Amino acid sequence: MKSSHLSFHSIALTTLIAIGIILVGGRALLGAHASLGLDEKYVLVVHGGAGNWKDESPQQLDTEKAAINRAAEAGYKILAGGGSSLDAVEATLRVMEDSGLFDAGRGAYYDRDGVPELDSAIMNGNTLAAGSVAAVKHIANPISLARLVMEKTPHVMIVGDGAEQFAKSQGIELVSPYYFYNERYWKLFQEVKAKEKNKSAQLPGNERKVYGTVGAVALDQGGNLAAGTSTGGTPFKMQGRVGDSPIIGAGTYANNDSCAISGTGEGEFYIRNTVASDICARVRYLHVPLEQAADDVVMKELVAQKGEGGIIGIDRQGHIATPFNSNGMLRATVRSDGQITVKVFADSPAR
């Protein structure tokens, strides 16, 4: 009888382990290979900035929609081929930086001195390794330099001339400031500069409020998360101003134990509230769904402070969240079926 009793428990334990459940202190814990409601092998989400997208012309919006679609395709190919989430995030954001259509890379805004300054960060959710650069002026793809900081130095952030000296040591060719010439943003800069001389200046952010910062978050087939963000800062900003994008925990964060986040919006609010890490901490410690955690931060706390913007996020089960409190946020999502969905406004396809 005793032998039979032990045999029953052995079979029961074996069955529980097989389905990935172990009882600890009376609580069921899900193992790494257990299904948690989604059967997503890999997911990628990209954003092209939150803000007043209703002011964009249909033609401009179509152009930006096509660009973010190309970026999502680049990241998807890597994930579908078994590549890492880090590789997918970097490749996706390089496409966005190169397009010249967003406030990142070739499309960066001009500061008060008429010079673009760029910031970027990337983070590995598996190891918590991270790298970022800020206030660089001669780097075509800051996201790639941020990754080199993560992988080739003991540091997390390098800024300004030091970051560019490091870039040269890694064989990255520095580009002329003319590489970043953007006729659309140059005209905007000239208009605001003229208003400032007349003592009636209004920052372009008050006139146009499209924060074209770009970001990507990914979950790969190995179950690893990664996040990356790249920006040219805010229009007509003070020289040397650094926003949330390159600050780990503010605008960029990834942790396999919770989620991966990239933010876009008024960076000072994201820094003060450590938005990216706060969302992930709520998921990890309060055990709330990613969507609820993101909504509580973006749609409640930031709104209460009048901080405009949004985030994109993925958790380790492949659930996504894309809340924004502005009138729009350009974003693209692609899952393991390869179907890319591009949206700008709430639950509406880009148009």
Side-chain angles (χ1 to χ4, degrees), residues 104-156:
R106 199 160 201 166
Y109 284 123
Y110 293 93
D111 67 13
R112 288 178 179 268
D113 294 329
V115 178
E117 289 187 329
L118 300 94
D119 312 325
S120 190
I122 194 167
M123 186 166 184
N124 183 337
N126 183 36
T127 64
L128 301 188
S132 72
V133 294
V136 295
K137 301 177 182 178
H138 303 90
I139 305 297
N141 294 109
I143 189 63
S144 294
L145 183 56
R147 184 169 180 180
L148 284 172
V149 170
M150 177 180 71
E151 296 180 340
K152 302 293 185 181
T153 81
H155 308 306
V156 171

Side-chain angles (χ1 to χ4, degrees), residues 46 67 70-72 74-75 78 86-102 104-107 120 122 139-148 172 179 214-216 228-230:
V46 193
R70 289 194 303 272
I78 291 173
L86 277 171
D87 287 344
V89 164
E90 181 184 3
T92 298
L93 294 185
R94 284 181 65 97
V95 174
M96 301 285 276
E97 289 173 339
D98 291 343
S99 71
L101 296 170
F102 306 97
R106 199 160 201 166
S120 190
I122 194 167
I139 305 297
N141 294 109
I143 189 63
S144 294
L145 183 56
R147 184 169 180 180
L148 284 172
I172 294 179
Y179 170 86
V214 301
T229 314
S230 188

Side-chain angles (χ1 to χ4, degrees), residues 8-54:
F8 170 79
H9 283 284
S10 296
I11 293 171
L13 181 58
T14 302
T15 303
L16 289 172
I17 291 173
I19 63 173
I21 301 178
I22 301 174
L23 293 176
V24 178
R27 188 172 53 139
L29 299 181
L30 291 165
H33 301 292
S35 172
L36 292 175
L38 278 184
D39 186 22
E40 292 297 342
K41 295 179 180 177
Y42 45 93
V43 189
L44 173 73
V45 187
V46 193
H47 74 72
N52 186 21
W53 282 93
K54 290 182 178 178

Side-chain angles (χ1 to χ4, degrees), residues 229-254:
T229 314
S230 188
T231 189
T234 58
F236 215 65
K237 70 180 182 64
M238 294 177 63
Q239 183 182 22
R241 177 266 185 187
V242 175
D244 64 301
S245 298
I247 297 178
I248 301 304
T252 306
Y253 193 74

Side-chain angles (χ1 to χ4, degrees), residues 242-287:
V242 175
D244 64 301
S245 298
I247 297 178
I248 301 304
T252 306
Y253 193 74
N255 187 329
N256 279 7
D257 288 337
S258 53
C259 59
I261 301 289
S262 174
T264 167
E266 296 179 277
E268 282 70 17
F269 290 91
Y270 284 63
I271 295 170
R272 295 183 193 115
N273 290 278
T274 58
V275 164
S277 62
D278 185 18
I279 293 170
C280 291
R282 290 166 186 250
V283 171
R284 184 177 182 185
Y285 300 118
L286 298 182
H287 307 292

